[in-house]
Amino acid sequence: MRATGVRKAMAAETEAALKEAARRQFAEHGYLNTKITDITTAAGRATGSFYEHFASKEDLLQALLADMHTQADGQIDLAEHAPHDLTDPDQIREHIAVAWDVMRDNRPVVTALFESALTEGPASGALWDRLAADTRIFREHLDYLREQGHDLPGDPALISAAMGGMLSILAYALVPTAQAGPCDQVTTGQRPGSPFTDREVIDSVAKLLLYGLAGPPR
Amino acid sequence: MRATGVRKAMAAETEAALKEAARRQFAEHGYLNTKITDITTAAGRATGSFYEHFASKEDLLQALLADMHTQADGQIDLAEHAPHDLTDPDQIREHIAVAWDVMRDNRPVVTALFESALTEGPASGALWDRLAADTRIFREHLDYLREQGHDLPGDPALISAAMGGMLSILAYALVPTAQAGPCDQVTTGQRPGSPFTDREVIDSVAKLLLYGLAGPPR
DNA sequence: GTCTATATACAGATAGAC
DNA sequence: GTCTATCTGTATATAGAC
């Protein structure tokens, strides 16, 4: 490795440190609340260094999103090998589970994108665009069901957005808790997390979306 | 009416003008984007006058919320005269319809509250608190169902939040459109509104939440 | 109460030494 | 590439005349 290679490696290290610090800050204080200096300080770098790697906070977020995509595509592709019938109990649960897991693994990014979409206001349609993009897969499956003559509760575009929106808002609102370990007597000083486990959320949402409040037919 | 009465009336008029201007600005540019000066300018008043009536933008929002509550309580009380069984198709549709109508009538306030809740970040739990507060009625109904031995898809607190969250996010994301009038050739220059009518949203969400994707039992 | 003018505060972004 | 120091823009909030 040449000398320039070492420099490159150090620069890459700084970039990684900034990204990691940003994820922590976004998760803890929210995307809107964290200042550029919060990120650089948390990463142990100077303010000016930030702009050597990213043009702005929004630019950094896009970089984090790209990272997430390359990582998430694997999980999704895996799930997509199964046939596509969202009215099958196992399959809808699997889809919800994958979506939820991706959201939890990338909670800082997901919540940040959520906040970012609201920055442009309700009239901009930015949130709708985001929902539409994030639920493309749901929508394709619903389109397929409709073609099969299945009687959906409404337009696939609307239903898939509603489903995805429900998941997104829950992912944002449900603050993660130390998940039911043997030693959860040890409490951090912070606000108590949501009382729901990931499994409980996935099961509940899957059931609700499959059978609704009426429950499965007897 | 005394002279002071006239002054009071003028002051009240200014306050009303500020509120109305704020609603317009919130709807058009979003809560976070609108500056105090945007509101005062739109209301045709000076910047300094704002603080004679409200301590801050957040304070103004709370005032708008109070207005909304006094107005909405009527609609809700009306609906609450009916018995409580969310697994009855007519009743769940009615509940969704009332919630949706209140949101649409107060869209500027609802969307502003939504943005405001995100200001504090995901870890604050502010959004969860808001969801819990806004879906209290749903939750009570679900608690009741559970007591009756009905098999719900999950914990009432979680399910009601999921239902309310779905409605909230749709209310934010679905930008209102001139609703199917005879002369909708006349397009404003702005972004095309959502292709869904209020009725379509209400019907679709009600069906989804009652029977899920599987649809009603045959 | 309302206005104009201004003070305060701070985040985003840049300049230039090393 | 990284640092320190600084500049700029802008939103909030206040001061003081009317």
Side-chain angles (χ1 to χ4, degrees), chain A residues 14 46 49 52-53:
Chain A
T14 293
S49 295
E52 195 65 33
H53 298 273

Side-chain angles (χ1 to χ4, degrees), chain B residues 14 46 49 52-53:
Chain B
T14 293
S49 294
E52 195 65 33
H53 299 273

Side-chain angles (χ1 to χ4, degrees), chain B residues 3-214:
Chain B
T4 57
V6 176
R7 289 208 172 173
K8 263 192 176 173
M10 290 181 68
E13 202 173 313
T14 293
E15 189 168 314
L18 288 172
K19 282 182 178 176
E20 185 48 38
R23 292 175 65 104
R24 277 202 305 274
Q25 296 295 312
F26 290 170
E28 196 158 345
H29 308 295
Y31 173 75
L32 297 174
N33 276 331
T34 93
K35 316 306 171 195
I36 307 278
T37 51
D38 293 336
I39 298 171
T40 51
T41 304
R45 316 285 155 141
T47 311
S49 294
F50 180 91
Y51 296 93
E52 195 65 33
H53 299 273
F54 308 101
S56 64
K57 194 168 67 167
E58 178 65 30
D59 184 51
L60 191 170
L61 179 54
Q62 292 305 319
L64 292 178
L65 177 60
D67 292 351
M68 167 175 146
H69 270 141
T70 57
Q71 183 240 313
D73 282 348
Q75 300 179 51
I76 292 171
D77 287 346
L78 212 67
E80 286 303 295
H81 281 146
H84 302 56
D85 176 8
L86 284 187
T87 62
D88 176 88
D90 290 336
Q91 287 183 43
I92 194 168
R93 200 216 176 259
E94 182 59 24
H95 272 82
I96 303 289
V98 168
W100 189 254
D101 286 345
V102 170
M103 285 177 173
R104 289 316 271 256
D105 291 347
N106 300 278
R107 211 182 116 87
V109 183
V110 171
T111 53
L113 286 168
F114 200 64
E115 293 181 28
S116 175
L118 295 208
T119 300
E120 301 170 46
S124 73
L127 187 55
W128 174 260
D129 292 345
R130 171 143 295 285
L131 279 180
D134 290 347
T135 59
R136 208 199 69 245
I137 294 181
F138 281 160
R139 194 200 158 142
E140 287 169 1
H141 291 186
L142 294 182
D143 281 333
Y144 172 79
L145 278 174
R146 173 163 273 190
E147 282 167 23
Q148 300 295 309
H150 188 90
D151 186 32
L152 293 176
D155 188 294
L158 179 57
I159 299 297
S160 56
M163 292 169 61
M166 178 186 275
L167 281 174
S168 294
I169 205 168
L170 285 179
Y172 194 99
L174 259 29
V175 353
T177 171
Q179 211 127 121
C183 46
D184 49 19
Q185 290 294 68
V186 183
T187 62
T188 65
Q190 62 191 76
R191 187 194 172 79
S194 97
F196 307 111
T197 65
D198 285 345
R199 187 193 177 84
E200 193 173 2
V201 174
I202 294 169
D203 285 340
S204 299
V205 170
K207 272 191 209 164
L208 175 63
L209 291 177
L210 180 56
Y211 296 126
L213 294 176

